[in-house]
Amino acid sequence: MVFVTAISGGYVIGPYWSQGKAWLALLAAVLLAASVVFLYNSSGVPSAGLSITIPSLFGSVPTPARIGVAMFGAASVVAVWVAGATTTMVSEKLLLSDRATVVLAGGLVAVFAGGPLAMAATLPVRRQVNTLQSTDPQRQLAEEFMTGSRSIGILERALLFAFLAAGQPDAAALALTAKSLARGPSSDHGRYASEYFLLGTLASVIASLAMGMAVRAAIGLSVL
């Protein structure tokens, strides 16, 4: 990941190689990628053939995690140095923009208010599953499939709203297709999982579509 980040980042800053900030931005990206490796993949970090013991005020913390935190901090400092002024200017414009406020409010409603809508739509299926015996294979398969659906639903509605609000329904359709391929139930999950998936997805689509159309109309764009 670090290698790909360095190569792709070098390609991006190629036209600006004479500008120091471009190289600092590349450094920040590489440090961030390296910090992720040390923080979340410490077991895969090649051994240097030695061990390092660093005193810690927070108890026993693995050395790779400490290195990752240090790299993340360094990346943050470099990023603020490079883009701090621009980020502040853009943030001020967004905070003062009525259109940005409307889009943000619509996105929050679509993502979080769509959750109760999806739960209400899937309630009959969950009630049917709860009536089954705890040893019933159909209940076990359905409960296994339904585990973790809340976080997936939040991400799904956020993506759908973003694409629809941007006037890209084709991209929203691709996101749904990707979810169906990665998350869609198979015959092994039983009929309850299929009904749960279909009803939950339709509820998320309805919430995202309604808020996307409302936001576009509110800021003076065509609804689709």
Side-chain angles (χ1 to χ4, degrees):
M1 181 174 66
V2 177
F3 177 75
V4 171
T5 301
I7 296 299
S8 60
Y11 173 77
V12 170
I13 70 167
Y16 314 99
W17 65 271
S18 60
Q19 301 181 18
K21 284 191 174 182
W23 289 101
L24 288 175
L26 176 61
L27 175 62
V30 172
L31 285 174
L32 181 60
S35 70
V36 172
V37 172
F38 280 96
L39 284 171
Y40 298 104
N41 194 28
S42 58
S43 61
V45 177
S47 174
L50 51 88
S51 60
I52 303 174
T53 302
I54 303 175
S56 174
L57 299 176
F58 305 99
S60 177
V61 180
T63 299
R66 297 171 186 170
I67 297 174
V69 171
M71 287 185 171
F72 182 81
S76 300
V77 171
V78 175
V80 170
W81 177 268
V82 173
T86 302
T87 303
T88 301
M89 180 182 64
V90 173
S91 300
E92 289 178 353
K93 288 183 177 181
L94 288 176
L95 288 174
L96 298 175
S97 172
D98 293 337
R99 292 163 66 99
T101 302
V102 171
V103 173
L104 177 60
L108 292 175
V109 172
V111 171
F112 295 104
L117 178 63
M119 290 184 64
T122 58
L123 181 60
V125 178
R126 287 185 280 115
R127 284 178 175 173
Q128 293 180 32
V129 172
N130 291 333
T131 59
L132 300 176
Q133 297 292 332
S134 59
T135 57
D136 192 323
Q138 288 291 330
R139 176 169 181 169
Q140 296 175 357
L141 291 172
E143 290 179 343
E144 179 183 354
F145 179 81
M146 290 186 290
T147 301
S149 59
R150 182 175 182 273
S151 57
I152 295 175
I154 290 176
L155 179 59
E156 175 190 14
R157 289 188 294 274
L159 286 175
L160 290 178
F161 172 81
F163 288 136
L164 292 171
Q168 299 294 330
D170 295 342
L174 288 176
L176 283 176
T177 303
K179 179 201 173 183
S180 300
L181 293 174
R183 173 68 177 168
S186 63
S187 57
D188 296 335
H189 291 105
R191 69 182 185 89
Y192 295 104
S194 299
E195 294 178 8
Y196 180 87
F197 176 83
L198 180 60
L199 292 173
T201 299
L202 288 176
S204 292
V205 170
I206 291 172
S208 302
L209 179 61
M211 291 311 305
M213 294 173 63
V215 163
R216 289 182 62 84
I219 62 178
L221 300 175
S222 60
V223 293
L224 287 177

